[in-house]
Amino acid sequence: MSNGDLSRDMLAALAWQIELGADEAIAEEPQDRFAEHAARQAGREASREAQAQNRERPAAAPVRQLPPARAAAPVPPEPEAERSDGPGSREIAAAAASLDALCEAIEGFEGSDLRKGARNCVFCDGNPAARVMVIGEAPGAEEDRLGKPFVGRSGQLLDRMLAAIGLSRAEPDPEKAVYITNILPWRPAGNRTPSDAEAALFLPFVERHIELADPDIVLCMGGVSTKHLLATTLGIKRMRGRWRRHAATAKPVMPSFHPAYLLRQPGDKRLAWRDLLAVRAVLDGAAPDFAE
Ligand code: URA
């Protein structure tokens, strides 16, 4: 990374913190950075040792293999909007063996009328090798025009938020990169909120997307993606800030506020900042502290 890139990233991180009102270099509670560093170091050594032992035993399961819990995942309700003729979204998604194949499958999926009112399929942006995958709600007008998620005003805020924890969608290094998608790949006409049936119809594609991209962490932006990905009836204010496990892939999920909500309610940026710090801590080696 050049000095220019570094200064730009640092300025972006600073701008976001100023936006949050962070004008004092103190946290809410004292932190023993030396102890944190030692704990992280010990964690990394333990995981290296475990990996070395796994290598010595070739029959053992690979570290990032999807857990057998997948078979026990709750069966999602049959989506009302799905047409009964031909294969459904779950079968089509399961048959996609790569991200390119999944994108093609979504573009060709005829089980929803949403595509008729949209200009472009919005599949993803960023680096598919990233450790963090961001999942938003649905494309808006700008996203529909450009065929990329989060490129409008809320996308710009999202970029500043991610930059504040050292992540960028333009970054080639998976450690510093993000990969971004939405629950819906097509813009609902008039920017309305996706219906439950629409979200349920496209959920198998999103879950296959997570499996294929195989991130370490999913960052769920807003109530709609949280509701459907985590199959919860609790609102985002109750869900945010605590690690949850995604049933189908066992990935740790951090639900947080949608940037569009933060544009309307800037006072809640400080809560979003806490969620981002929790993501940063897990990326740095802390174990996710799952909600019961
Ligand atoms: N809001 C979203 O949830 N996703 C986008 O891609 C744009 C705005």
Side-chain angles (χ1 to χ4, degrees):
M1 181 189 267
S2 72
N3 283 346
D5 288 344
L6 193 61
S7 335
R8 209 186 37 244
D9 286 358
M10 289 172 77
L11 280 174
L14 204 56
W16 165 244
Q17 294 196 23
I18 291 167
E19 203 161 338
L20 290 169
D23 51 10
E24 284 182 84
I26 54 170
E28 284 175 17
E29 286 170 19
Q31 287 179 25
D32 184 344
R33 304 264 178 217
F34 294 106
E36 283 171 12
H37 178 75
R40 275 206 295 273
Q41 196 77 1
R44 281 195 201 111
E45 272 160 27
S47 112
R48 265 198 296 273
E49 244 169 59
Q51 282 179 17
Q53 277 172 12
N54 276 342
R55 270 196 297 276
E56 278 161 25
R57 278 184 270 120
V63 173
R64 296 187 79 191
Q65 190 191 41
L66 289 178
R70 181 158 172 56
V75 180
E78 213 34 54
E80 308 155 25
E82 190 157 357
R83 307 206 207 300
S84 54
D85 50 335
S89 57
R90 191 157 291 280
E91 285 160 273
I92 295 172
S98 66
L99 290 171
D100 284 347
L102 184 67
C103 180
E104 255 180 52
I106 292 172
E107 281 174 337
F109 177 60
E110 291 185 349
S112 161
D113 285 339
L114 279 175
R115 67 209 286 265
K116 294 187 186 154
R119 282 202 226 176
N120 281 301
C121 177
V122 177
F123 181 63
C124 71
D125 195 20
N127 182 345
R131 293 184 64 198
V132 178
M133 182 165 179
V134 172
I135 303 188
E137 182 179 312
E142 274 301 276
E143 289 77 18
D144 182 42
R145 196 171 65 78
L146 297 174
K148 282 188 181 179
F150 281 106
V151 289
R153 260 188 87 215
S154 63
Q156 288 156 21
L157 177 58
L158 177 66
D159 285 345
R160 290 202 294 283
M161 292 162 68
L162 295 169
I165 53 163
L167 302 177
S168 158
R169 63 172 102 188
E171 176 61 54
D173 177 356
E175 290 288 328
K176 299 179 194 158
V178 278
Y179 184 57
I180 306 179
T181 191
N182 281 311
I183 293 286
L184 293 190
W186 305 105
R187 178 192 185 212
N191 278 357
R192 63 173 169 74
T193 301
S195 70
D196 285 353
E198 286 162 346
L201 182 61
F202 283 97
L203 191 63
F205 290 116
V206 180
E207 296 194 327
R208 185 72 183 133
H209 205 158
I210 299 172
E211 279 179 346
L212 290 168
D214 195 20
D216 291 342
I217 288 172
V218 173
L219 177 57
C220 213
M221 307 312 292
V224 170
S225 51
T226 299
K227 173 178 178 182
H228 294 284
L229 210 60
L230 296 174
T232 181
T233 53
L234 297 179
I236 187 65
K237 288 192 175 170
R238 298 276 302 279
M239 291 293 284
R240 62 143 287 278
R242 299 296 308 274
W243 289 101
R244 317 273 165 168
R245 189 89 60 191
H246 178 229
T249 62
K251 298 289 179 192
V253 179
M254 172 55 69
S256 190
F257 289 127
H258 194 285
Y261 167 82
L262 294 174
L263 287 170
R264 295 191 303 273
Q265 298 290 338
D268 278 343
K269 283 181 183 170
R270 75 195 165 81
L271 296 175
W273 176 235
R274 281 194 206 161
D275 305 344
L276 291 173
L277 287 179
V279 168
R280 183 69 262 168
V282 170
L283 288 174
D284 287 344
D289 175 17
F290 287 102
E292 291 302 303

